[in-house]
Amino acid sequence: TAALEGIPFAENIRRHVAAIGGRGVDGDADIVLAVNTPSAQPSSRGADLDAFVARIGALLAAGTPVIVVDPLTVNRADHDLVARMEARLDLAALLSYSGWNTGGNALGLALGHGTARWAYLKRSGSGSGVPEMAEPARAHAAYLLYRLVKDDTWKNVIQVEAYAHAREQGWNPLALTAEQKSYFDEWVRARLEPATERYFADHFAGHTVTLGRRGARTFTATLGRLDSVHIELPWDRLFEVTLEPRVSFA
């Protein structure tokens, strides 16, 4: 059972999958849901993550759609997992990823994004011309970038530094005044914007994204630029951040 959840996570998965009209199967599947779960022994954690990421890589290499759910730690990604994924996987090839908030939240976000993308690709040959396929692909890549940066870079690095900085000033990071929020809007932007730019350059730029399929033909495009990033604190606290990247193809 994941933290803050009232039912076993396997049952939570079953209910979420049933809610979108799916079912679990043994053997070949339309989509593989790769779920980061605790290790039986702390000493085997590194090896377990290595095997988990290697399995995802093998599935992607075989052309199998993969959704990665990262519910291990509440409110943040498992950094050890994400670091391995960054080093060993084509992140732009994933259907989706989420490590946000509770286990159920992470599952719902990843499943919603991933299955919507899968369904679009399945139907992309029905009525859409190739130019019309570009915008859904851009939105997909931008949201995947958003999730990885927000759930790991923001939650595990920059937010931790922001909380510490606020407390050094004697401020409550969960109840900022208007002046304090204005200060942290700039403080967060000055750190998260270049971090997002680096992440895109390191893990997305130059990578291929599927636009759609028509018959036996698959149309693709290469990610070229991170055009802009909108960043601000949506409320008077440092728990959440608005992060809206826009990407374009080469």
Side-chain angles (χ1 to χ4, degrees):
T1 302
L4 305 180
E5 301 284 329
I7 59 174
F9 203 65
E11 174 62 15
N12 206 350
I13 291 172
R14 188 195 67 78
R15 294 184 187 184
H16 273 76
V17 170
I20 59 167
R23 59 186 177 88
V25 297
D26 294 323
D28 293 339
D30 293 318
I31 300 169
V32 170
L33 194 64
V35 182
N36 180 24
T37 56
S39 295
Q41 298 294 331
S43 60
S44 67
R45 185 63 186 161
D48 290 344
L49 286 174
D50 289 341
F52 182 66
V53 172
R55 176 60 175 155
I56 295 171
L59 289 165
L60 293 176
T64 303
V66 180
I67 291 171
V68 179
V69 182
D70 188 6
L72 193 69
T73 306
V74 173
N75 287 333
R76 66 191 67 246
D78 178 353
H79 178 71
D80 291 339
L81 168 62
V82 174
R84 284 169 168 81
M85 289 169 55
E86 291 167 354
R88 304 171 192 176
L89 300 180
D90 178 2
L91 297 179
L94 294 173
L95 269 184
S96 62
Y97 165 86
S98 181
W100 176 254
N101 216 297
T102 66
N105 290 152
L107 172 61
L109 286 167
L111 197 61
H113 174 201
T115 54
R117 179 64 179 160
W118 176 84
Y120 173 81
L121 292 174
K122 291 286 285 185
R123 295 179 59 85
S124 58
S126 302
S128 294
V130 175
E132 287 75 25
M133 296 176 183
E135 185 54 35
R138 277 194 292 266
H140 160 69
Y143 188 74
L144 190 54
L145 171 66
Y146 158 81
R147 282 262 63 97
L148 288 158
V149 172
K150 185 173 183 179
D151 297 355
D152 186 42
T153 307
W154 164 247
K155 295 297 290 187
N156 282 315
V157 181
I158 297 175
Q159 187 194 65
V160 174
E161 295 171 354
Y163 272 47
H165 184 56
R167 288 171 176 139
E168 287 170 359
Q169 317 308 311
W171 301 347
N172 182 349
L174 297 179
L176 301 173
T177 66
E179 293 78 12
Q180 292 164 3
K181 179 188 180 299
S182 178
Y183 171 86
F184 268 110
D185 275 331
E186 294 301 321
W187 190 97
V188 169
R189 189 177 299 115
R191 290 156 179 80
L192 189 54
E193 184 171 346
T196 305
E197 291 169 347
R198 288 193 300 270
Y199 206 97
F200 179 84
D202 290 345
H203 304 294
F204 284 80
H207 289 247
T208 298
V209 174
T210 299
L211 299 181
R213 302 183 178 96
R214 180 161 293 165
R217 186 174 179 186
T218 297
F219 298 92
T220 64
T222 301
L223 289 164
R225 298 187 310 276
L226 178 63
D227 293 327
S228 64
V229 188
H230 173 67
I231 296 169
E232 66 176 338
L233 300 175
W235 294 294
D236 57 352
R237 59 188 187 184
L238 290 168
F239 184 77
E240 301 91 354
V241 68
T242 296
L243 173 66
E244 297 175 348
R246 292 187 61 84
V247 306
S248 60
F249 295 118

